[in-house]
Amino acid sequence: MIKLSIIAAVATLSSFCTLAQVPSYEGKIYNMQGKSAAAWDFRNDKQKFLSDSDSEKDLVNLTESADLPSFKLNFASKNQTSFVAAEISNPASASFAEIQKIYSRGKASVTLNDIKSQSYYVARLRGGEDYLVVRFDNAMDDKKSLATGGDNLDYISFTYWKGYLNPKYLSDLKKEALEELKKGNFMVALQKAEALSKHEKENYEAYYISAVAKSELGDIEGAIEDFNKCIRYKPDYTDAYIKKGIAESKNGMRSEAIEDFTAALKLDSSKVEALVHRGHEYYLYSRYPDAIADFTKVISKDPQNFQAYYQRGLARNEYGKFEEAIADFTKTVELYPKYNYAYFYRGFAKSALYRFAEASADYDKVIELDPNDKVSYFNRGNCKRELKDYKAAIADYEKAIELDPRFNDAYFEKAHSKFLSGDIKSAIMEYNNIIEKFPNNSQAYFNRGLFNLQLKKDQEALSDFTKAIELNPRDGEAFHNRAVAKEQLGDDSACIDAKKAVELGDKEAAELVKSICGK
């Protein structure tokens, strides 16, 4: 008789993923009078030798030397694992409650005598709350002693099923996953949620937890997939639609996000979170009236929601409703006085209404709250320039440049302000410095070209616009202004440039075409 190698007792992933399907394992126990493993460890799915610790021996063969050459089919546990004879037709689909019930109704024993082929037993593992089902399959006994050619390698093979899930275990697993999610331990929460969904494939809460965790970990596509599974098993789960919409928004899926926020609101119209997020998506989609309507609903439900006023103000700004936007930003800072963005965009709205002194005061507040906000210095500089306070404007542009040496527009406006202040020499130097600093920036040449046009330096302007076009052949404004310079220089190709400007979308160049192309 040939001794077989130890059979690896590993359940496949598919066994866990199918609801109520308990994985099976195989094992062998040899004659204890031989040299092979005469015991089995059900917890770790391993053969054990008599020399191993008793705590790991769930089942041991009891063949005594006096029994030889026979292989005695008597077994015992050395660690409180106990057995109850049972009749079970399909152990793989039995539930924890069914197995527990069979065990509790039977007469438990730590010994098994005269085992029969194809007999079933329910075992309670080591006195705990884990149960398994054992089926003894075949006994191999050569009926020979060592003296007559035997080898004492007689064995019995068996199949066993384990992994009957205690409902309390699953409940605890879900609770633990939620606790880890709240703590921000997203990877641990994900692992526990995935363990739960493997055991219960229709557990919508497991998919919800794993989806939220994946979203926080940056796996947006995985999160959306899990939210879809959650909704499949729980179609009225409002929060799943909201969180899925947020994930879709992160992935730039605007229309899908709007659909999910709308679905959440159909299920529960009181969900302010869904209104806030849908309003934001409408804003990003440039659907400003819809955004305003959603934020107005939020405010009616939650008048202290400063974010709703702020978001509605942004939408009203984009929609050109600057007075209403100012009112929203004012309410925002009443509710949250240190919200610098509200002051910033209120300043923007006031600038649009030519209320430059008031706008400048708002940018003062932004800078007070955030001294490193380069754009606020730039915008305040624009306000000062409009108020003809060129010195203050130039100081703000210089601060913006100090904060960001690549802030191109700040260089341009600084040069322009010097020109407006009458300091032509300094303005020329500024424009030349810009070209030197940004030699491949078409806008730099374009802006200097405009400056030269204003100084009636048409030839220099022509050179600058030509360079701007070379760097950006799709710049319609550059063609337009080069046409002006050419026309003033008496260059007949001015008409060609004017027509090209119109072709590239510069509508204002149409009048220029009429005035110079018919001559």
Side-chain angles (χ1 to χ4, degrees):
M1 181 176 66
I2 300 174
K3 179 182 174 182
L4 302 178
S5 61
I6 297 174
I7 298 175
V10 180
T12 62
L13 182 61
S14 60
S15 300
F16 283 109
C17 291
T18 305
L19 185 66
Q21 287 295 308
V22 178
S24 63
Y25 304 76
E26 294 180 351
K28 284 182 181 180
I29 293 178
Y30 287 87
N31 186 334
M32 72 177 293
Q33 295 300 317
K35 297 180 181 180
S36 293
W40 191 264
D41 175 354
F42 285 120
R43 175 158 290 168
N44 297 300
D45 313 308
K46 293 180 178 179
Q47 290 176 323
K48 290 293 177 180
F49 293 88
L50 296 181
S51 58
D52 291 327
S53 170
D54 282 352
S55 65
E56 299 175 333
K57 297 174 194 170
D58 297 305
L59 200 60
V60 181
N61 179 247
L62 298 180
T63 302
E64 300 289 346
S65 58
D67 299 319
L68 297 176
S70 296
F71 175 43
K72 203 79 169 181
L73 297 179
N74 293 343
F75 300 86
S77 167
K78 298 292 185 178
N79 58 13
Q80 295 185 298
T81 295
S82 51
F83 301 83
V84 168
E87 292 184 4
I88 303 177
S89 59
N90 189 358
S93 61
S95 68
F96 176 88
E98 290 170 332
I99 297 302
Q100 188 181 50
K101 186 176 181 181
I102 292 170
Y103 179 88
S104 63
R105 286 182 173 180
K107 185 177 181 180
S109 175
V110 296
T111 61
L112 299 175
N113 296 317
D114 297 323
I115 293 297
K116 301 294 189 294
S117 177
Q118 300 302 305
S119 59
Y120 285 83
Y121 291 83
V122 171
R124 182 178 181 181
L125 194 61
R126 303 180 187 181
E129 291 302 315
D130 292 329
Y131 294 85
L132 55 90
V133 175
V134 183
R135 183 188 68 208
F136 291 95
D137 297 323
N138 298 302
M140 177 63 70
D141 183 359
D142 61 8
K143 304 294 184 182
K144 294 180 181 180
S145 66
L146 292 173
T148 59
D151 55 12
N152 281 348
L153 291 179
D154 310 317
Y155 66 85
I156 188 167
S157 62
F158 51 89
T159 302
Y160 60 102
W161 292 258
K162 71 173 186 176
Y164 297 98
L165 295 172
N166 188 334
K168 184 178 184 304
Y169 164 76
L170 297 176
S171 176
D172 288 346
L173 192 59
K174 182 182 76 174
K175 183 179 178 181
E176 290 167 8
L178 284 169
E179 287 175 353
E180 296 296 341
L181 195 66
K182 291 176 183 177
K183 292 177 184 176
N185 297 330
F186 301 117
M187 183 57 72
V188 178
L190 176 60
Q191 291 168 347
K192 290 182 179 294
E194 288 183 336
L196 183 59
S197 64
K198 285 177 182 178
H199 294 312
E200 290 189 324
K201 74 172 185 179
E202 295 185 9
N203 189 320
Y204 68 92
E205 290 173 295
Y207 293 114
Y208 178 81
I209 296 168
S210 65
V212 173
K214 285 180 179 179
S215 182
E216 293 293 340
L217 291 168
D219 181 7
I220 304 301
E221 291 183 4
I224 292 171
E225 182 180 348
D226 281 352
F227 280 127
N228 284 330
K229 290 177 182 177
C230 173
I231 291 167
R232 183 189 311 154
Y233 298 121
K234 181 73 170 172
D236 60 349
Y237 197 179
T238 308
D239 286 347
Y241 286 101
I242 295 173
K243 296 297 186 185
K244 181 184 169 210
I246 294 171
E248 288 165 336
S249 177
K250 290 179 180 178
N251 231 23
M253 302 164 66
R254 305 275 173 239
S255 59
E256 292 86 350
I258 290 171
E259 286 179 11
D260 280 320
F261 295 135
T262 301
L265 290 165
K266 286 180 180 178
L267 290 168
D268 185 350
S269 61
S270 70
K271 284 287 186 180
V272 170
E273 186 182 10
L275 280 170
V276 168
H277 285 290
R278 189 176 69 175
H280 183 60
E281 292 305 311
Y282 282 143
Y283 172 79
L284 294 174
Y285 236 150
S286 301
R287 292 172 58 175
Y288 302 121
D290 291 328
I292 292 167
D294 271 356
F295 292 128
T296 300
K297 288 176 184 176
V298 173
I299 291 167
S300 70
K301 295 174 185 294
D302 182 7
Q304 301 302 304
N305 190 322
F306 73 90
Q307 279 282 4
Y309 288 102
Y310 172 72
Q311 298 259 22
R312 189 173 69 176
L314 291 180
R316 283 174 164 169
N317 253 357
E318 295 293 340
Y319 204 41
K321 296 180 177 292
F322 298 115
E323 290 289 2
E324 289 140 304
I326 289 169
D328 278 339
F329 295 131
T330 299
K331 185 65 178 179
T332 302
V333 296
E334 285 177 13
L335 294 169
Y336 185 11
K338 292 188 176 182
Y339 198 26
N340 56 321
Y341 292 111
Y343 292 105
F344 181 94
Y345 285 106
R346 188 172 70 176
F348 174 89
K350 288 176 179 178
S351 293
L353 295 173
Y354 303 99
R355 290 157 56 179
F356 297 112
E358 293 177 44
S360 181
D362 276 338
Y363 292 123
D364 288 344
K365 188 65 177 178
V366 180
I367 290 167
E368 175 189 324
L369 293 168
D370 182 4
N372 294 317
D373 188 333
K374 65 179 182 181
V375 180
S376 289
Y377 283 105
F378 177 79
N379 286 359
R380 189 175 70 177
N382 290 342
C383 292
K384 297 293 186 183
R385 185 197 65 219
E386 293 297 329
L387 293 168
K388 295 183 170 49
D389 186 353
Y390 300 118
K391 183 177 180 180
I394 290 168
D396 275 344
Y397 296 135
E398 288 177 341
K399 184 62 178 179
I401 291 167
E402 177 188 323
L403 291 168
D404 181 5
R406 304 295 299 176
F407 197 165
N408 297 349
D409 286 345
Y411 288 98
F412 299 143
E413 293 305 332
K414 178 185 173 185
H416 184 51
S417 292
K418 287 192 173 184
F419 168 73
L420 293 174
S421 72
D423 189 353
I424 306 301
K425 184 177 180 181
S426 290
I428 292 172
M429 290 177 61
E430 287 293 335
Y431 279 115
N432 290 339
N433 287 339
I434 294 170
I435 297 292
E436 184 178 342
K437 192 173 186 64
F438 306 109
N440 296 315
N441 187 313
S442 65
Q443 194 66 31
Y445 289 97
F446 177 81
N447 285 351
R448 191 174 70 175
L450 291 178
F451 174 67
N452 281 321
L453 271 184
Q454 290 176 303
L455 295 178
K456 306 298 183 183
K457 295 182 176 181
D458 299 322
Q459 190 61 54
E460 289 88 339
L462 176 62
S463 297
D464 281 336
F465 293 132
T466 298
K467 185 63 176 180
I469 290 167
E470 177 186 319
L471 292 168
N472 181 11
R474 304 295 299 170
D475 189 343
E477 287 186 271
F479 279 101
H480 180 160
N481 284 283
R482 190 171 72 170
V484 172
K486 284 183 176 180
E487 198 271 338
Q488 290 176 173
L489 290 168
D491 187 333
D492 292 339
S493 66
C495 176
I496 296 172
D497 276 353
K499 289 181 177 179
K500 184 66 176 180
V502 173
E503 179 187 321
L504 291 171
D506 188 336
K507 295 180 181 179
E508 293 181 5
E511 290 299 319
L512 185 63
V513 171
K514 291 179 183 179
S515 66
I516 67 174
C517 291
K519 293 182 179 180

